[in-house]
Amino acid sequence: MLEIGLTGGIGSGKSTVAALLVERGAVLLDADAIVREVQQPDTPVFAAMVERWGDGIVAGDGTLDRQAVADRVFGDPDELKALNAIVHPAVGDEMTRRRAELAGTDATVVLDIPLLVESGHEGLGGIIVVDIDPEVAVERLVAHRGFAEQDARDRIARQAAREDRLARADVVVDNSGTLDDLEAEVERAWAWIDTLERPPLDREVTRIGSRAERPDA
């Protein structure tokens, strides 16, 4: 399998890009979706989080109240470290398991990992970064996802700097325009993927960083 890392800041439109790549034949492994799965009620991760932060992080329907978790951990490095210690191993294990299932195939696997730059990316065939001006990202988060403006700015500030992401990119997908513009950008990225040499089918699957620091994502 050929593994491509996909990343971008919150509000960049990374999920839309992922969906467009799937339309072109990619298999998507979404770290944020896996975070949500391992945090479901009656899982070890859920139990450990409730033990750490109490019933106040449990919503009325018994599921995890992600905003309540965010309120407790963001701004407190020790609590954020505790969250990582609970969630990160489970997400990494599940991501590795799913990748192992695809090993030995000719699939193009897109690893959608928001914090790829922060957590490591050795062994990938390449990295696509979805880029957008932070001010545009703030506007979209407020208009389309109901964020308060200051909350949006704070969350962007907690992630890797835009320049750091761009420095790691093999291909940059510019999402500052229309959906038609984005389609063209993704088509260009897919054409680049087609030029890449595919690893041997028997290559061993190694663990890739997938720190889950955004329970709100």
Side-chain angles (χ1 to χ4, degrees):
M1 64 177 171
L2 174 63
E3 295 185 293
I4 302 297
L6 174 66
T7 194
I10 186 172
S12 65
K14 179 173 54 60
S15 295
T16 302
V17 171
L20 292 171
L21 289 170
V22 169
E23 288 180 6
R24 286 159 173 78
V27 176
L28 177 65
L29 295 183
D30 184 341
D32 275 349
I34 293 174
V35 168
R36 286 175 169 79
E37 290 178 22
V38 303
Q39 292 177 336
Q40 290 296 310
D42 300 321
T43 62
V45 169
F46 183 88
M49 292 177 69
V50 173
E51 181 179 359
R52 173 80 185 194
W53 292 289
D55 292 337
I57 66 168
V58 181
D61 63 357
T63 61
L64 187 69
D65 184 336
R66 298 180 186 281
Q67 185 59 53
V69 176
D71 291 343
R72 284 163 173 75
V73 305
F74 290 146
D76 187 327
D78 290 336
E79 295 305 304
L80 185 58
K81 183 177 180 180
L83 176 67
N84 288 336
I86 293 169
V87 178
H88 180 207
V91 174
D93 288 347
E94 182 60 18
M95 181 74 82
T96 301
R97 184 189 69 78
R98 296 187 189 190
R99 292 170 57 230
E101 289 180 346
L102 294 163
T105 73
D106 197 37
T108 296
V109 180
V110 172
L111 303 176
D112 182 344
I113 302 177
L115 300 173
L116 184 63
V117 170
E118 297 92 326
S119 59
H121 50 80
E122 293 78 9
L124 294 177
I127 295 177
I128 297 173
V129 171
V130 185
D131 184 53
I132 192 172
D133 186 290
E135 290 302 316
V136 177
V138 169
E139 291 174 7
R140 292 181 179 178
L141 289 169
V142 171
H144 304 302
R145 292 178 56 178
F147 280 69
E149 180 178 341
Q150 191 57 51
D151 187 21
R153 293 186 183 281
D154 288 345
R155 294 180 192 229
I156 289 172
R158 282 193 292 265
Q159 297 183 332
R162 182 186 188 187
E163 294 76 13
D164 291 339
R165 281 194 298 270
L166 292 174
R168 300 293 182 91
D170 293 296
V171 170
V172 176
V173 170
D174 179 5
N175 190 19
S176 60
T178 66
L179 183 56
D180 286 343
D181 294 332
L182 183 60
E183 286 266 10
E185 287 286 290
V186 172
E187 189 61 36
R188 179 175 59 84
W190 188 251
W192 164 75
I193 290 173
D194 277 343
T195 70
L196 299 178
E197 182 178 354
R198 292 182 174 269
L201 294 179
D202 60 352
R203 189 187 69 168
E204 182 180 355
V205 172
T206 57
R207 193 181 184 96
I208 290 177
S210 57
R211 281 210 314 257
E213 294 183 351
R214 287 196 352 246
D216 57 299

